[in-house]
Amino acid sequence: GIQVEQSPPDLILQEGANSTLRCNFSDSVNNLQWFHQNPWGQLINLFYIPSGTKQNGRLSATTVATERYSLLYISSSQTTDSGVYFCAAQNSGGYQKVTFGTGTKLQVIP
Amino acid sequence: SQTIHQWPATLVQPVGSPLSLECTVEGTSNPNLYWYRQAAGRGLQLLFYSVGIGQISSEVPQNLSASRPQDRQFILSSKKLLLSDSGFYLCAWRRLHSGNTIYFGEGSWLTVV
């Protein structure tokens, strides 16, 4: 099945700083999503982005499907951005499996 | 609008006891349904997925099982829990066809003692 890798595994930011999180996947995809898991365990959908670029407030994401990676940008980080960020992908083979990366744990300090 | 619920939210079970976690989706029909487990706060492992009633695909051999008795109901079970079954269990759904967003329930925290 498809392999999904995220980097960096851990990230500490000063409040107000910008960051880029990366997601590499091993096969062509027809589904790529970014999630934020808050300290209570809830998984929040950030972006559905199998290709192209999307923006939502201070967050934006870009997926370059031909090169098999996606990036999540966080600008002007806030302490509420802390948590674990996951990307998840489904390959184009028609299977219904959605595979998650290992996550990036972000801590934003005041 | 569509909603997903799973319960119980937390439970503490002794080793060797049975388990039943239930998940239901409202506001849609023929969803794909998923059970994931998250151990040690990182990494979601796909346990089971289902594309229809009675159709279950298992990803990880273990002492857990899943059933889909109704279109929008997905149940995770075990006959005898192990300590290693402790973790955070998440149910999720997605529309039948590929290319749609996957949505998660609130999760269930299981501690096996």
Side-chain angles (χ1 to χ4, degrees):
Chain A
I2 190 170
Q3 305 297 316
V4 182
E5 297 179 351
Q6 292 184 242
S7 60
D10 297 277
L11 185 59
I12 299 176
L13 293 177
Q14 198 77 37
E15 196 169 26
N18 303 327
S19 63
T20 301
L21 282 57
R22 187 177 180 102
C23 173
N24 292 331
F25 37 92
S26 62
D27 203 349
S28 59
V29 298
N30 61 6
N31 182 353
L32 191 291
Q33 289 181 239
W34 284 97
F35 295 88
H36 174 218
Q37 188 172 38
N38 64 24
W40 296 272
Q42 188 179 10
L43 276 163
I44 310 297
N45 286 288
L46 297 178
F47 295 102
Y48 167 73
I49 187 166
S51 64
T53 298
K54 290 185 178 179
Q55 181 160 5
N56 184 4
R58 296 182 296 103
L59 302 181
S60 63
T62 295
T63 297
V64 184
T66 54
E67 298 187 19
R68 300 182 181 175
Y69 72 88
S70 183
L71 302 174
L72 178 68
Y73 306 96
I74 304 174
S75 63
S76 304
S77 58
Q78 301 175 358
T79 56
T80 52
D81 295 331
S82 297
V84 183
Y85 290 80
F86 291 102
C87 68
Q90 177 191 330
N91 65 20
S92 303
Y95 302 106
Q96 300 303 319
K97 291 171 52 177
V98 179
T99 301
F100 278 73
T102 52
T104 292
K105 186 174 183 180
L106 173 64
Q107 183 180 359
V108 181
I109 55 177
Chain B
S1 62
Q2 298 83 19
T3 57
I4 178 170
H5 301 286
Q6 65 176 103
W7 67 93
T10 60
L11 65 166
V12 179
Q13 295 285 103
V15 170
S17 65
L19 170 72
S20 181
L21 300 178
E22 189 165 341
C23 172
T24 59
V25 180
E26 298 176 358
T28 189
S29 59
N30 298 320
N32 287 348
L33 296 172
Y34 304 85
W35 278 111
Y36 286 87
R37 177 170 63 195
Q38 186 177 32
R42 297 287 291 270
L44 276 76
Q45 179 187 38
L46 178 61
L47 301 176
F48 302 95
Y49 67 96
S50 171
V51 299
I53 296 174
Q55 301 179 59
I56 308 294
S57 296
S58 174
E59 289 299 303
V60 183
Q62 56 203 330
N63 69 321
L64 298 173
S65 62
S67 61
R68 186 170 177 173
Q70 300 180 43
D71 181 44
R72 293 169 292 168
Q73 184 185 27
F74 206 23
I75 298 172
L76 183 69
S77 303
S78 175
K79 293 182 179 179
K80 289 185 177 181
L81 283 169
L82 306 173
L83 287 174
S84 57
D85 292 324
S86 295
F88 187 49
Y89 289 81
L90 288 150
C91 181
W93 77 275
R94 193 175 63 172
R95 287 189 178 86
L96 180 59
H97 299 292
S98 307
N100 286 296
T101 304
I102 188 168
Y103 298 94
F104 282 86
E106 307 92 338
S108 299
W109 294 94
L110 169 65
T111 303
V112 182
V113 296

